[in-house]
Amino acid sequence: QKEVEQNSGPLSVPEGAIASLNCTYSDRGSQSFFWYRQYSGKSPELIMFIYSNGDKEDGRFTAQLNKASQYVSLLIRDSQPSDSATYLCAVNWGGGFKTIFGAGTRLFVKA
Amino acid sequence: EAGVTQFPSHSVIEKGQTVTLRCDPISGHDNLYWYRRVMGKEIKFLLHFVKESKQDESGMPNNRFLAERTGGTYSTLKVQPAELEDSGVYFCASSLGQGHSTDTQYFGPGTRLTVL
């Protein structure tokens, strides 16, 4: 089992729809979870982090964490073509500073 | 405020040569990280500095890789001798170091290394 798993996609949604991105992780000791967005040829950019079970909202983005199921997700409401990018799930391994990344999910938002 | 900068942006070298990558973190950031993304794979953690000390170097692939952060400011990552499988994009990131693992990491633009 991979340490951090994501569906590689591509995930295609129409403009204005909700995009749902999922991630599972294998280490029960992990405490902090991150979603990064990476445009082609650019560096990763942090969207959100979450460390408590439940939902965390920031504008059009909502991160959801379920530690019992070892699952973290990102919802993007009112998706825009500019949201088209690769979304990387990352986990701080064992509660420390070592960050493990998933391979990313490519999202396409069709105008 | 300037972000994380990396130099060079691209490097093409032959197998067996030496390459040194440089990272300048955001001023005042104690934490500095190196990552690598090989084509088609996920971003892999290489190591983590707190100031000039190596906090975690568990991701370094082998002893051909040497990272330093003299004085706790900029960092270098040297690959000697380079092998074909070292090709990829090397990212540096820095964070303020607030004492917990939700500390936001800011990524540099990366150095694309090609070993021929």
Side-chain angles (χ1 to χ4, degrees):
Chain A
Q1 182 190 6
K2 281 190 175 181
E3 294 160 319
V4 179
E5 279 206 80
Q6 295 181 254
N7 187 324
S8 62
L11 172 66
S12 184
V13 300
E15 183 175 0
I18 296 175
S20 177
L21 304 161
N22 305 313
C23 172
T24 58
Y25 60 95
S26 62
D27 177 36
R28 285 196 173 275
S30 295
Q31 299 292 321
S32 306
F33 308 86
F34 304 82
W35 282 101
Y36 287 84
R37 176 175 60 198
Q38 186 175 24
Y39 292 110
S40 181
K42 301 294 186 182
S43 55
E45 173 192 14
L46 182 69
I47 299 173
M48 294 185 72
F49 69 83
I50 185 169
Y51 50 85
S52 298
N53 276 326
D55 295 0
K56 180 182 178 183
E57 188 174 315
D58 184 0
R60 296 187 295 112
F61 300 95
T62 298
Q64 298 173 317
L65 175 62
N66 183 326
K67 289 185 180 179
S69 300
Q70 295 174 239
Y71 174 91
V72 59
S73 66
L74 180 71
L75 300 178
I76 307 174
R77 289 182 299 283
D78 188 23
S79 295
Q80 302 297 308
S82 58
D83 294 327
S84 299
T86 296
Y87 288 80
L88 306 170
C89 172
V91 174
N92 271 22
W93 209 247
F97 284 82
K98 178 178 180 177
T99 304
I100 305 295
F101 282 83
T105 298
R106 291 175 63 199
L107 172 67
F108 289 107
V109 181
K110 299 173 293 185
Chain B
E1 179 186 295
V4 178
T5 58
Q6 293 186 245
F7 182 83
S9 57
H10 293 82
S11 180
V12 181
I13 61 172
E14 293 188 350
K15 177 182 171 180
Q17 289 186 319
T18 297
V19 62
T20 300
L21 313 181
R22 173 171 169 143
C23 169
D24 285 78
I26 293 172
S27 177
H29 280 195
D30 286 342
N31 293 280
L32 188 149
Y33 310 80
W34 283 99
Y35 296 89
R36 175 173 74 172
R37 186 167 204 168
V38 171
M39 178 84 75
K41 302 284 189 181
E42 61 270 24
I43 295 173
K44 288 280 196 185
F45 170 88
L46 296 179
L47 88 161
H48 168 215
F49 283 99
V50 177
K51 297 185 180 178
E52 67 275 10
S53 299
K54 291 177 187 174
Q55 196 73 13
D56 182 347
E57 52 184 329
S58 61
M60 295 287 263
N62 52 60
N63 59 9
R64 295 186 293 104
F65 289 75
L66 175 64
E68 294 180 319
R69 192 182 181 195
T70 307
T73 54
Y74 70 91
S75 174
T76 58
L77 179 65
K78 181 191 286 189
V79 185
Q80 179 182 31
E83 298 289 345
L84 299 178
E85 64 265 25
D86 300 332
S87 295
V89 180
Y90 289 76
F91 289 106
C92 174
S94 73
S95 69
L96 194 55
Q98 296 168 315
H100 55 75
S101 60
T102 57
D103 202 24
T104 298
Q105 294 184 34
Y106 297 88
F107 278 74
T111 293
R112 182 173 295 278
L113 174 64
T114 302
V115 183
L116 303 176

